[in-house]
Amino acid sequence: MAHERSHDLDVGHTQAHGPSHDPELPAPADSFDHHAQVQATFDLYRRAALSSNQRRRADFYALPKRHRDLLPDYSALLREVDEKLQVNAELVQRMIEANPFPPPEDAALDAPAPTDADHERLRSTLRQCVRDWSETGENERNTAYRPILDSLASSFSHLSPSEKAETRVLVPGAGLGRLAWEIVRAGFSCQANEFSLHMLIASSFILNNCTTPDEFTLHPYLHSFSNIRSREDLLAPCLIPDVAPSDIAGGEAEFSFAAGDFLEVYGDSPGSWDVCVTCFFLDTARNVVQYLETIHGLLKPTGMWINLGPTLWHFEADRDSSSLELPLEDVKTLARKVGFELWDEREIKTCYTTNPLSMLRHEYTAAFWTARKV
Amino acid sequence: MAHERSHDLDVGHTQAHGPSHDPELPAPADSFDHHAQVQATFDLYRRAALSSNQRRRADFYALPKRHRDLLPDYSALLREVDEKLQVNAELVQRMIEANPFPPPEDAALDAPAPTDADHERLRSTLRQCVRDWSETGENERNTAYRPILDSLASSFSHLSPSEKAETRVLVPGAGLGRLAWEIVRAGFSCQANEFSLHMLIASSFILNNCTTPDEFTLHPYLHSFSNIRSREDLLAPCLIPDVAPSDIAGGEAEFSFAAGDFLEVYGDSPGSWDVCVTCFFLDTARNVVQYLETIHGLLKPTGMWINLGPTLWHFEADRDSSSLELPLEDVKTLARKVGFELWDEREIKTCYTTNPLSMLRHEYTAAFWTARKV
């Protein structure tokens, strides 16, 4: 199979094969329908978001007058939320206008309407923009990406720049591509692989359409009023991207983005990769044995695997999908049986698209290891 | 309205009025149906839990043989999980046999089948057993209940034992009653109020049917295999209760449990309470103004209100329910307008029915304050 490659700014988003869809959903029967449904989700962001806020307004006006009188500034807050939602909607609109995977025109007519889950996937994509491409996300990137980048840097410190550029790193589950981008910035050639069409649309937009730092404003915390200290925290803006994505242009390293299901794209791959980096990825498996075999298969002899992530098995609660959920220790035992030698095993505390201002914090103790194909 | 009172072991669970139901659901049209549905959820715990584990087994046997061969101990793990689920089912069975709110016999026939949400509510009740009545829960109790108990103790340190026993403390959203029990143990009279029938069944069982420490074994972490380090952590047992609930018998303080919706039970209450303690409760409100007015109304002049909790608004995502969601600072401003003077305002980091062995931790920065009715 051919993956589109490109050297600099124009990171090609090629749909490798198989339908591109959200990792939390089984493959839709008709991928055109899925493309149309995702497109509709982006198109309807503005309406869905404003409608949620309108629900708050309606509930407020249904209160007894003496209750409303005790909350004289609440309507003004809702108006401000509306305004900021419009700012978000501008960014979402720009993303969908640059959609590299538009559905055929007639598909939109038959596409199922976006579900609550679709809308939540888009909101999650916006949170991912904060994680990967804002200053606010720096702490998460420092805890989750830095150990991986350090491990790569120290393992290949003996290479010349052109040897580094010939070293091929694969990042499945690449999300919005920041980790892959950092790997390229560190001098390696890197292919990002992603399955979710929401993520692919957003990553293509940031990598190919954003040219200067702080170009867009996003208000990522407007979608839930829970566990928020103050109005300022609720309305807080976030500038995107924190760097110019083109900052990696000019080197010899190649950067590509392959759309599609990891197993389908790399399942029968000859051992042609020097490194595979899995970051918050293993637990997206329905069958983690197959993931580990695929990682083993795609690596060159003595190839390197770096892993960081939790074991939040994505399909555990999905009755329509087969799922295998192992305790962490069993995953490691399995990895050794599949043919890896593990070292530098550690635990790393980190978050995932957290709101640092929130009064509720979800903290992962992620497992980290480096491994060698034996 | 009359609330049943009792002096010691036999903590009466009276359904005050209105249907008793889960705070996450709007009131069912027919409370008998609801009672029957909850009874069915307890009755079916064994089958539902074993069936989830059977899903894992079926998915495992559907794997290619070479994958199964790489996981030689997995079937044995599933067998162990089955055994421990049976241990849990024994406890659940004991609880429902002692149900103080049995549905009429013919209601069971027409009751809707338990939903996934019903099963999750029961699992959440089991986690609550760990929080309130096990050694494992001690850390949560120390962070969430201790500041409240300390505040009570220092505010009423000048009282004689019999004056303390005449001091009436109300704890709405009392869950499984440990905080209320600790308040009685500290010498105050206390009424716990709870809405959820799941909680009422479990709390009645623990308070009235458990006589010695470590009487029952529960394996609380079997229901999800995610974010678990090892088989030992997954299978870990927890002994319940950590104390003999009867340890508070013999004093002058009264302990009672009132079942029903907080607003319905106390909405037109004359100011007859010395203290109201809200712990992880305010955010269960559809209309927090009404909660604050009700707390204000039920207190005697200069009565005390102690609050600790997040603002995880329970009805925010419920489209069928009216909901008002305020940032924390707005809740405090509102409390002052309703007629409270706040002091000792702090933030307290705590968890809620967390699995301390899990690699994923949800940590609340809960708001704490003490207030006086002015």
Side-chain angles (χ1 to χ4, degrees), chain A residues 66-79:
Chain A
R66 71 171 203 286
H67 286 178
R68 293 202 306 277
D69 288 347
L70 286 164
L71 300 164
D73 304 323
Y74 190 67
S75 290
L77 174 63
L78 296 181
R79 267 198 308 278

Side-chain angles (χ1 to χ4, degrees), chain A residues 56 116 229 325 347 362, chain B residues 56 229 319 325 362:
Chain A
R56 292 182 211 281
D116 285 349
R229 268 191 201 81
E325 306 102 17
E347 293 190 344
H362 306 274
Chain B
R56 292 182 210 281
R229 266 190 202 81
R319 289 191 193 177
E325 306 103 18
H362 307 274

Side-chain angles (χ1 to χ4, degrees), chain A residues 1 3 16-19 21 170 172-173 193-195 258-270 276 278 281-282 284-298 315 321-322, chain B residues 63-64 66-67:
Chain A
M1 84 212 67
H3 300 299
H17 57 188
H21 60 99
L170 175 66
N193 164 238
E194 179 54 56
F195 192 51
D261 176 83
F262 171 63
L263 297 175
E264 292 180 29
V265 179
Y266 305 99
D268 54 1
S269 181
C276 182
T278 51
F281 178 67
L282 280 193
T284 68
R286 287 181 180 81
N287 173 357
V288 69
V289 191
Q290 207 179 354
Y291 265 36
L292 298 193
E293 281 184 344
T294 302
I295 295 168
H296 194 264
L298 62 83
F315 291 96
S321 180
S322 174
Chain B
L63 295 180
R66 72 172 204 284
H67 286 178

Side-chain angles (χ1 to χ4, degrees), chain B residues 42-54 57 77-95 97 122 126 216-223 234-238:
Chain B
F42 279 71
D43 280 340
L44 292 172
Y45 168 82
R46 188 187 309 264
R47 195 193 294 181
L50 292 174
S51 153
S52 280
N53 205 37
Q54 186 58 25
R57 192 173 279 113
L77 173 63
L78 296 182
R79 268 199 306 279
E80 272 199 272
V81 169
D82 271 351
E83 282 167 24
K84 310 297 191 209
L85 288 172
Q86 295 280 11
V87 173
N88 288 357
E90 289 305 303
L91 174 59
V92 170
Q93 188 57 33
R94 292 289 296 270
M95 285 179 178
E97 280 167 11
L122 175 51
L126 296 177
F216 292 94
T217 302
L218 179 64
H219 299 272
Y221 313 126
L222 298 175
H223 301 114
L234 181 68
L235 300 166
C238 178

